[in-house]
Amino acid sequence: MTTASPVAAGPGAAAVEAYLACLDAADDPAAVELALDLLDAGASVADVLVDVVAVAQREIGLRWSAGRWSVAQEHAATHVSELVVAAVGARTTGRPARGHVVLACVEGEWHALAARIVAEVVRAAGWRVTFLGASVPARHLVSYLHQTGPDAVLLSCVQPSRLVRAGRTIEACRSAGVPVVAGGPGFGPDGRWAAAVGAAAWGASARDAARLLETDLFAGHTGPPPAAGGDEYAAVLRRRRDVVQFALRAVAPPEAEVDQFAAAVGHLVDALAAAIRVGDPQLLLDHTTWQAGVLAARGEGREPLLDAVLAACGTVLADHPRACEHLRWAREMQGGAPC
């Protein structure tokens, strides 16, 4: 078992480094021991989960995107952190005194660790929390809301390409009379796209979620959501399969990479639709810049491949003006030819 560095004065850089060493070794007993020792030394649940576990997981994500860690290493580290979150949550005792909130990840969103951290921090703040897990379909979430009548929904979205689905989920929650607090980078830097899809508020961290639940921000955030400003985004999504198939024919990736390539093109179409939905082409550019960075880190010739995919999207979606405008801008910013 890896020996964790002692942490005497609560969470900080030393605690994060010690925790990262546990993740690097996939040493869950040491990681759990470190977290519980922090609690015993006086750290709060939020201190441990937000300032140590969440910070370390962001570093793990950076290592993966830079090609320094494999998917297997990232998954092993995430599993360790899931065990740590469960162990820290088990230390929370007492009956909830504030109310009931439901927490879920938007449909298609399988990154659930950040949401689990929010659930435990909010529960430690005195709320009854029902965590529904990853990728919750809107219709099932709303059915659950009608059955249980919570005070609010906390909705996690990590990837901006899932924003259209997030908007549909928020619309369904509002129609059920339950306001939504959004969380996660999927809602944009500083949560800039949360209001556009109808959320009552957005929090950058689990602490923010707990704080927002104590405010009266929910007034006026049920019923019909903000207007979407047109339905071109829905038309783009209806052509998703056409775009993927056209891109496969245009690029002809190696057989072993077909599934991965098709998924990447599909996510790009989702990001394009989301950019149209919230009226911000920066969303698409951020996505393509991230994809370019991942390809570059893996030595996969980012410029020709990404430009070919954007060109394929532009060809199939040529009759959708805003889509082509967003794609043209993204290609130009990535150094490719305009569509």
Side-chain angles (χ1 to χ4, degrees), residues 310-333:
L310 290 169
C313 291
T315 299
V316 177
L317 301 172
D319 55 344
H320 299 295
R322 276 189 293 175
C324 198
E325 180 182 344
H326 287 2
L327 290 165
R328 181 184 298 110
W329 186 62
R331 290 186 72 189
E332 291 173 352
M333 295 300 292

Side-chain angles (χ1 to χ4, degrees), residues 33-79:
E33 181 181 359
L34 187 154
L36 297 184
D37 284 350
L38 288 172
L39 290 178
D40 291 339
S44 68
V45 169
D47 291 336
V48 176
L49 297 186
V50 177
D51 298 335
V52 178
V53 178
V55 170
Q57 283 298 130
R58 284 195 291 273
E59 171 61 23
I60 296 306
L62 292 173
R63 292 179 182 182
W64 172 84
S65 63
R68 293 161 52 200
W69 271 36
S70 68
V71 171
Q73 288 174 295
E74 186 271 332
H75 284 188
T78 299
H79 175 66

Side-chain angles (χ1 to χ4, degrees), residues 82-98:
E82 288 171 344
L83 296 175
V84 169
V85 173
V88 171
R91 289 290 190 93
T92 300
T93 58
R95 295 180 62 85
R98 292 190 171 179

